[in-house]
């Protein structure tokens, strides 16, 4: 059980629960076919986004395994929404979680995704007491591979054509990080 105190704060960003007002800025990056190519959903309309903001993306506390907390990533100072991140609580027994993330391309190339995912790792390990956090990435998604490798995740598997995804076979990379490994990183963002 965890009810985090929001916002989560990093050097340049705030992570906080999403709300109705986020629908418009989210449309900019969730209606872009290239930007959603490797995420589980397709191109979203403003109605799709509003519906998800009321349901799948509304949770802000962890009460049981299976819960997912999706947080808006806001630039400090400007208050602009630059993307969103999600922490899935996959298993209580194994103390396992998984991260997901997406940025507005207008804010890419500044290290914001890396910084926001670092805050999610702090939340998962220090807050929720997870033992292991994973990321699953299509190997063609080199920008996403860059995020987890900068953070020090270990590439643990390359599963050739393991996923039938959006009409084609995808080769998936599986990355993992242990709590002790994250705690030992002196240069964590
Ligand atoms: C995946 C995604 C979030 C990565 O975005 P990104 O901008 O490359 O990642 P970051 O915000 O961490 O920025 C890293 C880049 O900024 C640069 N950078 C600049 N300042 C930096 C800083 N202070 N700290 C770290 N990196 C910095 C890095 O060098 C890197 O650039 P490079 O790739 O040219 O080396 C983005 O491509 C995206 O939203 N894709 C669509 C959704 C998606 O596929 N999500 C993942 C599904 S698995």
């Amino acid at each position: 059980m965890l009810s985090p105190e929001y916002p989560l704060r990093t050097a340049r960003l705030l992570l906080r629960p999403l709300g109705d007002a986020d629908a418009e800025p989210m449309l900019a990056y969730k209606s872009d076919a290239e930007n959603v190519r490797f995420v589980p959903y397709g191109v979203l309309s403003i109605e799709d986004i509003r519906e998800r903001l009321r349901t799948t993306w509304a949770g802000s506390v962890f009460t049981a395994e299976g819960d997912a907390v999706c947080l808006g990533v806001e630039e400090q100072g400007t208050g602009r929404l630059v993307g969103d991140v999600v922490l899935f609580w996959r298993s209580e027994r194994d103390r396992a979680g998984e991260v997901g993330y997406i940025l507005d391309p207008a804010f890419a190339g500044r290290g914001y995704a890396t910084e926001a995912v670092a805050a999610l790792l702090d939340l998962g390990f220090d807050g929720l007491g997870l033992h292991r956090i994973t990321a699953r990435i299509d190997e063609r998604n080199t920008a996403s591979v860059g995020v987890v490798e900068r953070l020090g995740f270990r590439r643990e598997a390359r599963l050739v054509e393991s996923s039938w995804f959006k009409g084609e076979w995808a080769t998936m990379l599986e990355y993992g990080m242990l709590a002790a490994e994250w705690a030992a990183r002196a240069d964590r963002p």
Side-chain angles (χ1 to χ4, degrees):
M1 312 308 122
L2 178 68
S3 181
E5 199 170 305
Y6 296 112
L8 309 179
R9 207 171 277 275
T10 70
R12 298 175 294 172
L13 306 168
L14 298 178
L15 276 63
R16 43 87 181 153
L18 291 159
D20 286 346
D22 295 313
E24 288 286 349
M26 285 179 126
L27 184 66
Y29 60 91
K30 291 188 190 279
S31 62
D32 171 341
E34 190 52 35
N35 210 45
V36 298
R37 180 174 175 203
F38 298 117
V39 299
Y41 45 84
V43 168
L44 299 183
S45 67
I46 192 80
E47 290 76 25
D48 298 329
I49 293 172
R50 291 207 173 104
E51 169 64 17
R52 283 165 187 253
L53 283 169
R54 282 191 294 269
T55 56
T56 339
W57 299 338
S60 58
V61 299
F62 295 97
T63 54
E65 67 176 13
D67 282 352
V69 166
C70 188
L71 300 173
V73 181
E74 201 177 288
E75 204 175 33
Q76 281 186 34
T78 67
R80 289 181 299 193
L81 186 78
V82 301
D84 55 270
V85 293
V86 59
L87 177 63
F88 299 94
W89 185 9
R90 292 294 190 205
S91 165
E92 181 173 0
R93 190 196 63 181
D94 298 333
R95 291 162 49 209
E98 183 179 340
V99 288
Y101 38 86
I102 181 167
L103 278 187
D104 182 329
F107 297 96
R110 307 180 194 190
Y112 282 170
T114 303
E115 193 169 314
V117 176
L120 273 196
L121 294 179
D122 287 341
L123 177 66
F125 290 133
D126 304 336
L128 197 52
L130 297 179
H131 172 63
R132 179 178 153 83
I133 295 180
T134 55
R136 296 184 73 243
I137 304 176
D138 186 309
E139 74 169 354
R140 294 168 295 181
N141 194 355
T142 52
S144 183
V145 165
V147 171
V148 291
E149 293 195 346
R150 263 189 301 280
L151 289 166
F153 276 77
R154 176 180 39 257
R155 185 183 292 199
E156 298 181 332
R158 176 175 182 267
L159 303 172
V160 178
E161 296 193 3
S162 57
S163 175
W164 179 250
F165 186 68
K166 297 187 178 176
E168 58 183 348
W169 289 113
T171 292
M172 300 302 293
L173 303 177
E174 296 206 348
Y175 282 87
M177 168 89 76
L178 298 177
E181 293 167 339
W182 183 240
R185 273 186 76 89
D187 60 340
R188 62 193 210 180

